[in-house]
Amino acid sequence: MEYLHEKAEESRHNENIGYMVTLAGVLFLIGGTILTAITVSDPEWFLIIPYHITSHPYSLFGLTFTILAYVLLACGITLSVYYTSQRGWYMKRLKQTHTIEKLKRFEIKKD
C-alpha cells in the first residue's frame, strides 16, 4: 500500500513537471511572437508560425523561440496526459487494495 502511495506521489510530481514544461512553452511562444512582431513589420507565415529571416540575429531568435515553444508545448501536454493516466491507474489499484484491507478487518472483527 505504501508503494502505491509513493508511486502516485511520484506520478503527481511528474505531472506537475509536465505542466511546467507546458508553461515554459507558452512563455517561449509569447516571447518568440513578440520578438518577431517587434523586429519585423510584415512577417512571412508558415502555417501558424510567423517568421522573417534577415541578416539580423533577432529574426533568427524569434523563429527559434517559436519553434522551441511548439516542441515544449507538445512535450509538456504529452507528459501531463501520460502521468495523469498513470496516476489514475495507481489510484484505482490503491482503492482496490484499501477495499480488500477493509474487508479483511471486517471479517476479523466478525469472527
Side-chain angles (χ1 to χ4, degrees):
M1 209 160 164
E2 286 182 36
Y3 174 75
L4 290 172
H5 276 289
E6 287 179 22
K7 291 301 279 183
E9 285 179 25
E10 179 183 348
S11 183
R12 187 177 299 122
H13 172 73
N14 291 337
E15 183 184 352
N16 286 337
I17 289 175
Y19 291 145
M20 287 183 207
V21 169
T22 304
L23 182 61
V26 169
L27 291 175
F28 272 104
L29 183 62
I30 291 170
T33 305
I34 288 175
L35 188 61
T36 302
I38 288 173
T39 58
V40 178
S41 61
D42 189 25
E44 298 172 27
W45 290 85
F46 177 74
L47 299 176
I48 56 173
I49 301 172
Y51 74 96
H52 187 76
I53 302 298
T54 62
S55 61
H56 204 273
Y58 288 141
S59 66
L60 188 58
F61 281 147
L63 180 61
T64 305
F65 281 176
T66 306
I67 291 172
L68 182 62
Y70 284 113
V71 170
L72 286 174
L73 280 170
C75 290
I77 290 170
T78 304
L79 284 173
S80 298
V81 169
Y82 173 73
Y83 285 118
T84 298
S85 66
Q86 194 176 35
R87 184 169 49 104
W89 183 83
Y90 288 129
M91 295 305 283
K92 186 173 116 182
R93 293 291 300 181
L94 192 59
K95 184 177 178 182
Q96 288 174 352
T97 306
H98 181 68
T99 305
I100 291 170
E101 290 288 325
K102 229 175 163 180
L103 287 174
K104 285 181 183 177
R105 284 188 212 145
F106 180 72
E107 287 185 11
I108 290 173
K109 285 182 181 180
K110 193 176 181 182
D111 290 338

